[in-house]
């Protein structure tokens, strides 16, 4: 429905039209609310790209090595999910919902393709009377068809939308397939809570720790080597083309010469040579592209087969897989932070929480308030890039309806996250962006149930 027409429905209650759905009125005002949110949050997002702003923090070398990064990443991406899946499979099946035991009516609603793909259903019309011996086998619809029209029974036309919907559902994320197909079962609410926890809470916190804090932070060490000296070596003062002019003026006081920047930290206002800057930006691009590519790659997969869609055990497997993913994400975040703290001596500034973050009494509230502010900045940053991410997803789905196109939009989103983390190194900000993306997708999915 065009926006102009929707606006008329939004003002319809003022003229006595009380039967207008509230959802139509909300959709009419949604663009205005979105634009207002962008206008209010523009300064918070603008601070990300200002060198001298409260959001900026000095870039510093992370203390963990490449080997530690490789070990923690493998544990979080492979080992913990496998351990969680095996642990859940060893538990009694009575502890989990049994979607295969639901009634036939619920199964038909949960698996529309099971009716559409049954043999001999397309060749028989439910309204056709049983033929007596000697009577001609003729469907009532055949006499109504005009010459040149194809003979098609009513069941074929009714099952066609269901088959199309199942084809579109087969290319969705496994979480979406679980949530949609479980809506007609007795465990719909439990499944909704599980999907919300995994998608909106557990996954953003764990994945941003792995890909931004751990992986990108390690690659940024390679970029900082272009502007920082080796450990233990004091950094030299800045010298460029203007140094010759300063050499001529030997009587000038030393105070006019810039101070030597820190040997372990790099601020955006630190002076460096053009060659150092160029090397720093090229290496930083590598540090952003690699985690974003891996992040998009792990979301690739094959569409669901019709046999999997008709099998009631598929829902049982999806439910246990989602539960295992949630447990693995929690273990990855908790054990990963503990390992970095105990084995490498990582501080809160190293993991993107800021050097001022503390859990001590008296200062904990200020730390949480800063975390909330950084989180809100991430939500605002996502609002600016959301049209590009969702627009790319919609365009790719229209071009490739039978393929899973999630990796490319997610890659674009991960690039934006990488740039934001590269600029300010704030873990809460990229988590806010990820939570906003998953929460928006989750709400849109629930709206279509």
């Amino acid at each position: 429905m065009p926006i102009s027409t929707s606006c008329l429905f939004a003002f319809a209650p003022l003229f006595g039209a009380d039967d207008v759905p509230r959802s139509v009125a909300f959709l009419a005002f949604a663009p205005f609310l979105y634009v207002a949110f962008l206008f209010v949050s523009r300064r918070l997002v603008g601070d990300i790209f200002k060198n001298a702003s409260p959001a900026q923090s000095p870039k510093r070398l992370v203390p963990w090595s490449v080997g530690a990064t490789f070990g923690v990443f493998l544990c979080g991406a492979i080992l913990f999910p496998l351990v969680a899946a095996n642990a859940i499979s060893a538990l009694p099946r009575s502890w989990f919902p049994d979607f295969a035991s639901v009634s036939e009516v619920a199964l038909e609603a949960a698996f529309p393709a099971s009716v559409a793909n049954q043999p001999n259903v397309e060749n028989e019309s439910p309204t056709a009377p049983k033929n007596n011996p000697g009577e001609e086998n003729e469907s009532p619809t055949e006499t109504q068809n005009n010459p040149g029209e194809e003979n098609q029974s009513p069941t074929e036309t009714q099952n066609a939308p269901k088959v199309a919907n199942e084809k579109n559902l087969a290319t969705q994320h496994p979480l979406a397939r679980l949530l949609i197909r479980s809506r007609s079962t007795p465990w719909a609410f439990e499944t909704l809570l599980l999907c919300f926890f995994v998608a909106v809470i557990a996954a953003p916190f764990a994945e941003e720790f792995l890909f931004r804090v751990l992986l990108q932070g390690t690659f940024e060490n390679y970029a900082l080597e272009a502007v920082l000296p080796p450990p233990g070596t004091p950094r030299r003062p800045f010298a460029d083309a203007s140094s010759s002019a300063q050499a001529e003026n030997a009587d000038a006081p030393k105070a006019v010469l810039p101070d030597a920047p820190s040997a372990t930290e790099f601020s955006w206002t630190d002076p460096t040579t053009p060659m150092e800057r160029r090397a720093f930006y090229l290496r930083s691009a590598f540090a952003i592209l690699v985690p974003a590519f891996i992040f998009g790659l792990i979301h690739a997969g094959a569409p669901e087969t019709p046999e999997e869609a008709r099998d009631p055990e598929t829902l049982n497997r999806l439910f246990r897989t989602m539960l295992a993913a949630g447990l693995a994400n929690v273990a990855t975040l908790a054990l990963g932070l503990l390992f970095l703290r105990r084995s490498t001596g990582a501080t809160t500034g190293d993991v993107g929480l800021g050097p001022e973050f503390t859990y001590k009494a008296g200062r904990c509230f200020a730390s949480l308030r800063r975390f909330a502010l950084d989180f809100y900045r991430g939500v605002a940053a996502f609002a600016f890039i959301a049209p590009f991410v969702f627009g790319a997803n919609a365009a790719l789905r229209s071009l490739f309806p039978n393929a899973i196109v999630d990796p490319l939009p997610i890659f674009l989103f991960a690039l934006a996250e990488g740039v934001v983390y590269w600029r300010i190194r704030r873990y809460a900000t990229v988590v806010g962006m990820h939570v906003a993306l998953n929460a928006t997708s989750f709400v849109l999915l629930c709206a279509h149930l």
Side-chain angles (χ1 to χ4, degrees):
M1 181 179 295
I3 295 180
S4 58
T5 309
S6 301
C7 295
L8 298 178
F9 282 97
F11 294 100
L14 301 177
F15 301 94
D18 297 333
D19 56 343
V20 177
R22 295 181 180 180
S23 59
V24 176
F26 174 77
L27 291 176
F29 283 106
F32 299 99
L33 296 176
Y34 174 73
V35 173
F37 180 77
L38 294 181
F39 180 78
V40 172
S41 306
R42 70 189 189 282
R43 291 185 178 179
L44 281 176
V45 179
D47 286 343
I48 297 176
F49 302 96
K50 293 180 181 178
N51 293 337
S53 68
Q56 293 291 337
S57 58
K59 301 184 70 63
R60 55 190 299 173
L61 295 171
V62 295
W64 52 83
S65 62
V66 177
T69 300
F70 184 74
V72 175
F73 187 83
L74 285 184
C75 288
I78 299 177
L79 181 60
F80 290 162
L82 288 178
V83 172
N86 292 330
I88 289 178
S89 63
L91 296 176
R93 295 176 62 90
S94 58
W95 291 12
F96 307 101
D98 187 9
F99 295 96
S101 64
V102 295
S103 62
E104 185 177 358
V105 177
L107 274 176
E108 182 179 352
F111 302 96
S114 62
V115 179
N117 294 325
Q118 286 181 358
N120 299 328
V121 173
E122 296 180 354
N123 299 329
E124 183 178 354
S125 174
T127 58
K130 296 183 179 180
N131 296 324
N132 297 326
E135 292 183 359
E136 297 180 357
N137 296 330
E138 184 178 5
S139 174
T141 57
E142 292 180 359
T143 58
Q144 299 175 2
N145 292 330
N146 296 327
E149 294 185 355
E150 297 182 357
N151 296 331
Q152 188 176 16
S153 63
T155 55
E156 293 179 355
T157 58
Q158 293 174 1
N159 290 331
K162 294 182 179 180
V163 175
N165 293 335
E166 279 298 302
K167 180 179 292 187
N168 294 333
L169 185 59
T171 60
Q172 296 288 337
H173 191 275
L175 186 144
R177 299 200 294 263
L178 171 63
L179 190 60
I180 292 175
R181 289 192 173 123
S182 64
R183 69 185 185 274
S184 301
T185 64
W187 304 279
F189 182 70
E190 291 83 351
T191 306
L192 179 68
L193 293 180
L194 175 63
C195 293
F196 177 83
F197 171 76
V198 174
V200 183
I201 300 177
F205 279 84
E207 290 177 353
E208 294 311 315
F209 166 73
L210 283 180
F211 288 93
R212 242 58 59 185
V213 175
L214 188 68
L215 201 58
Q216 182 172 329
T218 303
F219 287 134
E220 284 187 6
N221 278 8
Y222 175 69
L224 288 173
E225 290 176 357
V227 291
L228 292 179
T233 304
R235 191 172 180 185
R236 58 174 175 76
F238 175 66
D240 59 358
S242 62
S243 61
S244 58
Q246 295 177 358
E248 295 177 358
N249 192 5
D251 297 333
K254 296 182 179 180
V256 301
L257 296 176
D259 297 333
S262 171
T264 57
E265 293 183 348
F266 169 74
S267 299
W268 295 102
T269 55
D270 288 346
T272 56
T273 62
M275 184 177 297
E276 289 177 344
R277 284 277 182 176
R278 189 179 304 109
F280 172 71
Y281 288 135
L282 289 177
R283 296 182 182 187
S284 296
F286 175 81
I288 295 172
L289 285 172
V290 173
F293 177 77
I294 300 175
F295 186 64
L297 191 63
I298 65 173
H299 290 82
E304 187 183 49
T305 62
E307 291 76 13
E308 293 175 340
R310 293 194 300 268
D311 186 8
E313 284 294 330
T314 300
L315 279 184
N316 293 336
R317 289 191 294 268
L318 286 177
F319 186 90
R320 291 192 290 267
T321 300
M322 288 299 120
L323 183 59
L327 296 177
N329 287 331
V330 174
T332 298
L333 182 61
L335 298 180
L337 288 174
L338 181 63
F339 173 79
L340 294 181
R341 174 63 178 172
R342 295 298 177 87
S343 64
T344 66
T347 63
T348 56
D350 296 325
V351 296
L353 293 175
E356 75 284 351
F357 188 88
T358 181
Y359 52 85
K360 296 181 180 179
R363 298 173 57 189
C364 181
F365 180 76
S367 300
L368 293 178
R369 184 174 61 180
R370 178 57 188 266
F371 187 92
L373 177 62
D374 291 336
F375 185 90
Y376 175 76
R377 181 179 283 109
V379 175
F382 167 75
F384 280 87
I385 66 172
F388 302 97
V389 175
F390 288 111
N393 185 54
L396 290 173
R397 286 191 178 278
S398 62
L399 293 175
F400 308 99
N402 298 326
I404 296 179
V405 298
D406 293 343
L408 185 55
I410 291 178
F411 171 73
L412 297 177
F413 173 73
L415 284 179
E417 281 188 316
V419 172
V420 170
Y421 189 77
W422 176 69
R423 290 291 304 182
I424 63 178
R425 187 171 281 193
R426 288 287 177 170
Y427 170 69
T429 303
V430 291
V431 168
M433 296 176 65
H434 201 155
V435 168
L437 171 67
N438 288 8
T440 303
S441 303
F442 189 83
V443 169
L444 293 176
L445 178 62
C446 292
H448 288 81
L449 293 180

